[in-house]
Amino acid sequence: MPGRPARFTALDAVLLCALLCGAALLAWRAVATQDYTWRWHVLFQYLARFDEGTGRWVPGLLAQGLATTVRLSLWTMLLATLLGGAMGLARASGGLFWRLTGGLYVGIVRNVPPLVLVFIFYFFLSDMLLRALGVEAALRALPGWAAGALGWVMAPPEQLPNFLAALMTMAVYEGAYIAEHVRAGIQSVERGQREAARALGFSPWQQMRLVVLPQAVARIVPPLAGQLIATVKDTAIVSVISVQELTFQGLELMAATYMTYEIMIAITLLYLVLTLACSALARRLELRLRRA
């Protein structure tokens, strides 16, 4: 029943023992039955290593890839929220043109494989846009401090064109799903709320801003949190255009060291830690919105 604390039953104990035994059996088969030399002691240097030139610890390749994944995910979620919010409002608006525009965007993007979108943006749109805007020439002219700051915020100048192509792809792709979350959240607000606001003399924009959106936001946050976690995982696909995120760095290390299992397990754990942290933050935000 709702409100009752969960109890640890005998069935829970049996299932937990079965899962532990299955995991132990899988680990034993991986170690004992395969002709593979495990080198866990080498893995740490790909997370952090001591640089004798500077005399301090610096991030390894996997840590650098994880940082790129975090930056790409945050920028993607920011731009996708803006784009998806605008398209969601268009989908929920009363104007036929805006509804058709939002529906066309959502329908096309959600029915095209993300890998196809990556290549479209990388080989066609981003190349033409960056060349027309003179981005590459501007990057070469950056002073050292600006290039360093850009590397912290987004990516080093030599990697920025690929990063921007990946960012545009991910923002457009994730924005289509966010648009549907926004549309569903707005349309879930009871019709009587709009009618009451209209009776008070509110304009359509005031109805949306003051009455509908404050109620819809609390309903949109949970699916948006799930979309953020999906965004973190979806960034792995941009490794095909040499964006040096976590999956790309792991594949490079596997090709160079043949440490297939250790590196893939490390990548899995890093993604798991990142997504669990996002889930915890989203849960705290959801509880705070409910209290408010």
Side-chain angles (χ1 to χ4, degrees):
M1 294 180 62
R4 292 185 58 183
R7 293 186 302 171
F8 190 77
T9 64
L11 178 60
D12 296 327
V14 171
L15 293 175
L16 181 60
C17 289
L19 288 174
L20 292 176
C21 290
L25 177 62
L26 181 63
W28 174 79
R29 288 187 61 85
V31 173
T33 64
Q34 294 193 22
D35 186 17
Y36 184 80
T37 302
W38 294 82
R39 293 179 289 168
W40 288 107
H41 62 283
V42 183
L43 185 64
F44 182 77
Q45 67 178 323
Y46 303 124
L47 295 172
R49 61 182 180 84
F50 186 77
D51 188 357
E52 296 181 355
T54 59
R56 57 189 178 90
W57 288 91
V58 297
L61 290 178
L62 288 180
Q64 295 174 19
L66 179 63
T68 302
T69 295
V70 172
R71 289 193 292 266
L72 180 59
S73 301
L74 292 177
W75 278 108
T76 296
M77 201 61 190
L78 174 62
L79 297 182
T81 301
L82 295 176
L83 178 60
M87 290 295 104
L89 289 172
R91 292 266 286 157
S93 71
L96 179 61
F97 172 77
W98 296 113
R99 288 205 310 272
L100 290 177
T101 301
L104 184 65
Y105 163 71
V106 171
I108 291 176
V109 173
R110 293 184 66 182
N111 289 284
V112 174
L115 184 60
V116 175
L117 288 177
V118 169
F119 287 128
I120 289 175
F121 275 90
Y122 180 65
F123 288 111
F124 298 102
L125 297 182
S126 70
D127 183 57
M128 290 185 293
L129 285 174
L130 295 179
R131 187 178 304 170
L133 295 174
V135 173
E136 295 185 1
L139 291 175
R140 288 193 294 268
L142 284 176
W145 65 268
L150 187 63
W152 277 99
V153 175
M154 298 187 77
E158 64 274 9
Q159 302 173 16
L160 192 61
N162 290 17
F163 185 91
L164 291 177
L167 177 58
M168 287 190 290
T169 303
M170 296 300 299
V172 169
Y173 181 71
E174 302 296 337
Y177 292 89
I178 292 177
E180 286 298 277
H181 298 323
V182 173
R183 178 197 58 79
I186 291 174
Q187 292 180 346
S188 69
V189 177
E190 293 75 9
R191 186 178 181 85
Q193 299 288 325
R194 293 176 181 265
E195 294 175 350
R198 189 181 303 114
L200 291 173
F202 287 4
S203 66
W205 169 240
Q206 288 176 324
Q207 295 172 31
M208 182 64 68
R209 181 170 60 90
L210 300 176
V211 178
V212 177
L213 282 181
Q215 299 179 67
V217 165
R219 308 177 187 187
I220 295 171
V221 166
L224 276 185
Q227 199 62 45
L228 173 59
I229 296 172
T231 300
V232 173
K233 296 183 293 184
D234 290 343
T235 55
I237 199 170
V238 301
S239 61
V240 298
I241 57 172
S242 300
V243 177
Q244 297 184 7
E245 45 77 57
L246 182 57
T247 301
F248 177 86
Q249 297 286 31
L251 294 175
E252 291 290 299
L253 284 175
M254 282 190 293
T257 64
Y258 299 102
M259 295 171 54
T260 305
Y261 292 117
E262 296 94 331
I263 291 174
M264 288 308 299
I265 291 173
I267 291 174
T268 301
L269 293 177
L270 289 173
Y271 273 118
L272 185 62
V273 169
L274 192 56
T275 53
L276 288 177
C278 292
S279 298
L281 291 174
R283 181 61 177 170
R284 290 178 64 89
L285 178 60
E286 182 181 352
L287 292 176
R288 179 168 296 184
L289 287 173
R290 285 183 179 178
R291 295 193 190 101

